[in-house]
Amino acid sequence: MTTTIDAITRGRAVERVLEGHPTSDGAGVKLTRVLTQPLQRRLDPFLMLDAFGSDNRDDYIAGFPDHPHRGFETVTYMIAGRMRHRDSAGHEGLLQNGGVQWMTAGRGVVHSELPEQEEGRMEGFQLWLNLPAKSKMRDPWYRDIQAADIPVVTTPEGVTARVIAGESHGVEGAVRREVTEPLYLDLEIPAGATFAQPIPAGHNAFVYVYRGALEIEGTPVPVQRMAILANDAQSEGVVLRATEPTRALLIAGKPLKEPIAQYGPFVMNTEGEIRKAMLDYQAGLFTSR
Ligand code: MN
């Protein structure tokens, strides 16, 4: 499906513009939690988005030593830097400069994510995508996607879209998921240019600006802000206009509308399943290396 800006006669408006929360995770990595737990229902099927970016080794060097996950998927996108990943299923990979790691934790993995650099810039994002109840206990799965293998589309206006998941302007993304139908685009938009993206009306959607500034239906979205896009039955998608040279993530997906029970790295549907996850982890059932 090729779509031009003309196909979107009514773009989604901005419902809220939010600033992320500075925090730290792992063994003390400084990051900004953009999508926080109180937004999980509103942005179902997405559970979390962290942005990390620093030239200071002290902010990232400790990394994320061995820790478990169950019940969802993690999507790590590196803009700059190198991170070594190892998991209990025997997978190992180097995530670097524009590459993506898509990991389905399913019934459980223990993994580490550790910087493989002593200095320089480390910048990227980690998105958590929920799994439907029926798939939470599936086998773990993972794929490293190098930068060169991420499909890219350049529009006549000079906008570059890296299509990590979903489909944009006729280009199929690196990953497709049937139930949640995620769209994950990294956009590079020249000043003054616009980018239109169809989004099904029932899907939840948000934009995170990490360089420059955008305007969406007249609402300014400054750098390091997330815009939640209003769900509008009459709208075919969104139109982004860059007011400066801009880089932004556009993320959308079909809500699961299932109960969410989270305790740290475990995301299930009920408190009972969370207790089971903790017991299984303590019993060593998330195979350890
Ligand atoms: Mn992890």
Side-chain angles (χ1 to χ4, degrees):
M1 177 178 74
T2 302
T3 308
T4 64
I5 192 165
D6 305 323
I8 294 182
T9 52
R10 181 180 165 114
R12 289 193 185 206
V14 173
E15 179 179 299
R16 280 173 82 184
V17 176
L18 295 114
E19 193 172 2
H21 293 263
T23 183
S24 71
D25 210 337
V29 177
K30 283 199 181 136
L31 49 83
T32 302
R33 188 141 296 162
V34 176
L35 196 175
T36 55
Q37 210 165 349
L39 296 172
Q40 286 177 342
R41 290 237 60 95
R42 175 61 189 86
L43 293 175
D44 177 14
F46 302 102
L47 300 162
M48 194 187 85
L49 177 68
D50 282 346
F52 49 94
S54 178
D55 299 308
N56 178 359
R57 69 188 298 280
D58 296 338
D59 290 345
Y60 60 74
I61 203 72
F64 302 87
D66 272 353
H67 60 278
H69 292 289
R70 174 181 278 183
F72 61 101
E73 304 189 80
T74 65
V75 185
T76 311
Y77 179 35
M78 291 293 282
I79 303 291
R82 297 192 309 281
M83 191 96 90
R84 173 72 59 180
H85 161 265
R86 289 189 184 92
D87 75 23
S88 53
H91 304 125
E92 178 172 344
L94 184 64
L95 188 57
Q96 59 187 331
N97 304 325
V100 169
Q101 184 214 63
W102 196 294
M103 184 190 78
T104 306
R107 67 171 179 273
V109 294
V110 176
H111 76 161
S112 61
E113 299 153 294
L114 298 170
E116 198 161 280
Q117 63 189 45
E118 293 297 318
E119 56 183 18
R121 184 156 186 81
M122 176 77 81
E123 182 179 13
F125 305 94
Q126 188 169 84
L127 178 73
W128 287 12
L129 170 63
N130 210 354
L131 283 169
K134 65 176 183 186
S135 303
K136 282 184 176 293
M137 295 298 279
R138 54 155 285 169
D139 289 344
W141 179 90
Y142 120 116
R143 195 177 147 199
D144 278 323
I145 307 154
Q146 301 304 326
D149 298 324
I150 296 173
V152 178
V153 60
T154 303
T155 70
E157 283 198 65
V159 177
T160 301
R162 292 176 180 83
V163 190
I164 297 167
E167 185 266 326
S168 186
H169 294 251
V171 172
E172 183 81 21
V175 172
R176 186 168 276 268
R177 284 286 176 269
E178 281 181 5
V179 178
T180 50
E181 300 174 31
L183 172 76
Y184 189 166
L185 304 180
D186 177 22
L187 302 168
E188 211 165 335
I189 313 178
T194 57
F195 179 80
Q197 173 67 39
I199 301 171
H203 290 203
N204 291 327
F206 64 98
V207 174
Y208 181 68
V209 176
Y210 66 98
R211 304 250 203 293
L214 287 176
E215 205 176 82
I216 304 172
E217 301 302 318
T219 303
V221 187
V223 73
Q224 291 174 352
R225 295 294 187 283
M226 169 170 72
I228 297 178
L229 304 179
N231 293 67
D232 174 352
Q234 307 305 316
S235 161
E236 305 95 347
V238 66
V239 181
L240 311 176
R241 181 181 304 277
T243 49
E244 301 169 23
T246 294
R247 290 192 71 173
L249 306 180
L250 171 57
I251 295 171
K254 185 177 181 182
L256 290 167
K257 298 180 179 169
E258 293 174 353
I260 300 169
Q262 178 176 7
Y263 179 77
F266 309 125
V267 184
M268 303 299 289
N269 300 110
T270 67
E271 293 303 322
E273 289 167 347
I274 291 292
R275 281 193 296 277
K276 177 86 165 60
M278 291 194 283
L279 290 170
D280 286 354
Y281 175 54
Q282 284 156 15
L285 297 181
F286 295 26
T287 2
S288 54
R289 294 199 309 273

